[in-house]
Amino acid sequence: MDVDSVGYLAAALTTLSFFPQAIKTLRTDDTRSISLSMYSLFTSGVAIWAVFGLLSGNGPVLLANGFTLIPASFVLQKKIRHRLLGWER
């Protein structure tokens, strides 16, 4: 097994592990238990890792973080929206 294969396997597992919680949050529309500061830092970090993967030509890093950025952005947007509207369901 080559190094990239190990990277892609790790990327797939960590990315897939994120999706169930994101889907639950989007389905229930409940963001009360999500820390805005943590999720902001997490989403920013994921975006920066994706840029790093792009700039360094590291496929596993780019792929994993690019895919994770999509649901993370949706959940963060929902959390910010709930906070701004003053209701946290």
Side-chain angles (χ1 to χ4, degrees), residues 11-69:
L13 293 173
T14 56
T15 299
L16 289 173
S17 73
F18 179 76
F19 274 82
Q21 187 63 51
I23 291 168
K24 180 180 179 185
T25 300
L26 294 172
R27 281 187 180 158
T28 64
D29 200 34
D30 183 3
T31 60
R32 288 175 295 171
S33 62
I34 295 173
S35 164
L36 179 58
S37 57
M38 178 271 176
Y39 231 81
S40 296
L41 290 169
F42 173 76
T43 305
S44 298
V46 166
I48 293 168
W49 272 115
V51 170
F52 172 80
L54 178 66
L55 295 175
S56 67
N58 189 318
V61 172
L62 174 60
L63 190 65
N65 289 285
F67 278 125
T68 303
L69 186 58

Side-chain angles (χ1 to χ4, degrees), residues 49-89:
W49 272 115
V51 170
F52 172 80
L54 178 66
L55 295 175
S56 67
N58 189 318
V61 172
L62 174 60
L63 190 65
N65 289 285
F67 278 125
T68 303
L69 186 58
I70 296 166
S73 296
F74 281 111
V75 172
L76 179 60
Q77 174 271 330
K78 186 174 285 291
K79 176 66 177 181
I80 292 170
R81 185 167 168 257
H82 287 175
R83 178 70 58 92
L84 291 174
L85 292 174
W87 50 281
E88 299 252 3
R89 292 186 46 202

